[in-house]
Amino acid sequence: MQTVGKLMKVFVTRRIPQEGMKILSAGGVCEVSLWDSDEPVPRADLLKGVQGAHGLLCLLSDRIDAEVLGAAGPNLKVISTLSAGFDHLALDEIKKRGIRVGYTPDVLTDATAELTVALLLATARRLPEGLEEVKNGGWSSWKPLWLCGYGLSGSTVGVIGLGRIGVAIARRLMPFGVNRLLYSGRTAKAYAAEVNGEFVPLDTLLSESDFIVVSCSLTPETQELCDKAFFSKMKNTAVFVNSSRGAVVNQEDLYEALNNGQIAAAGLDVTTPEPLPINHPLLTLKNCVVLPHIGSATHSTRGIMGALSAQNLVAGLQGTDMPNELTF
């Protein structure tokens, strides 16, 4: 632990919730340097800001690679990311240097699961289209065949990646009268029993599910998992939802599948890149709902994430146990 009066330098790559900043400024441990913006720190400013830093608090949008670690120098002892995901961190390089990593995995589970269910319902029941028709004068009268979508009652739902968030999504979907809950992944999960989950091969999940929800981690195995072959195995009445990572989906193949009626609709809270350019082909489709990565965007969740990321950082600087340390 540092001696009193010698504060450790911390670089924070973005404005974070006040709950986090209060923790960093209390206790006389950190001298905080903040990229004071709601927009991502430019690469050159990131490389400059980390110089000599003992701690780094970053976001998903910050690529923390060998160049950043080299710019930081030998003082850097802890990286805390305000996220559950960590595919933006070069873990091999970080491990080589003996740097500890903190993250915020559990606190955003409920908020992300809620948003995923909202996105699934909005996509399946064509809510954005309906809103647009109300606004543009397309609503003339009640029509039996107009804006019909797909319901959850009696359906089969497939979840790809039944981890913390996957099972939280499944738990929320079951009261809608879902008939079967299928899931695929590396291994069967004992806790799947609480949602009557059936562990099946991916091909079975794709061919039998009416709704497919992707909630897996981004790994070399899941990169562009959802491609042309994947969509070709789905029902043409099926709805696809992704709230995991954009790179799990081949977006060109998704566009083709939606455009040619291979699948019914898609809802995305994550894309590649983020933000998705406004001229992207997916945004021309009525049967594709795209949200701006707001899975964890509730006031309380973001506040807790801010506090936890700050607690992880301070604990790492002091050499004590972090609330949530990544082991790798």
Side-chain angles (χ1 to χ4, degrees), residues 50-53 67-77 97 99:
V50 297
Q51 287 175 16
E67 184 183 24
V68 173
L69 300 173
N75 281 349
L76 189 63
K77 59 199 298 187
R97 292 164 169 80
I99 297 166

Side-chain angles (χ1 to χ4, degrees), residues 19-297:
E19 291 90 334
M21 290 306 292
K22 282 174 185 167
I23 290 167
L24 293 180
S25 57
V29 176
C30 312
E31 177 192 338
V32 178
S33 174
L34 170 70
W35 178 254
D36 193 11
S37 171
D38 289 326
E39 297 303 319
V41 58
R43 185 75 175 175
D45 293 286
L46 172 61
L47 294 171
K48 187 178 173 187
V50 297
Q51 287 175 16
H54 299 88
L56 171 64
L57 198 158
C58 65
L59 276 68
L60 272 175
S61 50
D62 306 314
R63 186 164 46 86
I64 309 302
D65 54 15
E67 184 183 24
V68 173
L69 300 173
N75 281 349
L76 189 63
K77 59 199 298 187
V78 58
I79 296 169
S80 177
T81 181
L82 196 147
S83 64
F86 42 83
D87 44 271
H88 56 303
L89 306 177
L91 294 180
D92 290 348
E93 294 292 337
I94 291 167
K95 188 174 186 178
K96 245 187 251 176
R97 292 164 169 80
I99 297 166
R100 295 172 71 187
V101 175
Y103 68 137
T104 62
D106 297 309
V107 295
L108 50 69
T109 297
D110 287 340
T112 304
E114 286 173 9
L115 188 280
T116 305
V117 172
L119 177 58
L120 186 153
L121 290 168
T123 305
R125 294 299 303 273
R126 302 171 66 175
L127 300 193
E129 282 183 78
L131 288 167
E132 190 55 39
E133 294 294 334
V134 171
K135 290 178 179 177
N136 68 20
W139 181 17
S140 59
S141 68
W142 188 89
K143 296 171 243 181
L145 304 179
W146 190 51
L147 285 175
C148 288
Y150 299 92
L152 280 161
S153 182
S155 70
T156 296
V157 173
V159 178
I160 298 172
L162 199 75
R164 276 184 299 261
I165 294 173
V167 81
I169 293 166
R171 207 181 291 127
R172 285 161 173 77
L173 289 176
M174 298 315 284
F176 283 91
V178 170
N179 187 37
R180 293 175 72 205
L181 191 289
L182 312 180
Y183 73 99
S184 66
R186 285 192 296 267
T187 57
K189 312 288 186 190
Y191 54 74
E194 70 172 272
V195 289
N196 298 318
E198 303 171 42
F199 184 59
V200 296
L202 180 59
D203 282 3
T204 303
L205 183 148
L206 295 178
S207 64
E208 297 186 12
S209 296
D210 301 299
F211 299 90
I212 291 176
V213 180
V214 183
S215 61
C216 58
S217 301
L218 178 60
T219 65
E221 294 75 43
T222 61
Q223 179 102 19
E224 297 205 349
L225 169 72
C226 308
D227 59 6
K228 186 174 183 175
F230 177 103
F231 297 120
S232 72
K233 291 166 188 166
M234 287 173 60
K235 297 179 180 181
N236 59 15
T237 54
V239 174
F240 172 83
V241 174
N242 181 23
S243 58
S244 60
R245 286 287 175 269
V248 172
V249 177
N250 179 313
Q251 289 176 173
E252 288 69 30
D253 291 352
L254 175 60
Y255 172 81
E256 289 303 325
L258 289 165
N259 194 44
N260 66 23
Q262 177 65 56
I263 66 173
L268 309 174
D269 185 42
V270 287
T271 60
T272 308
E274 291 183 0
L276 196 65
I278 57 172
N279 62 352
H280 194 281
L282 283 173
L283 300 181
T284 66
L285 299 172
K286 284 188 174 181
N287 59 343
C288 187
V289 178
V290 181
L291 298 180
H293 200 153
I294 53 172
S296 63

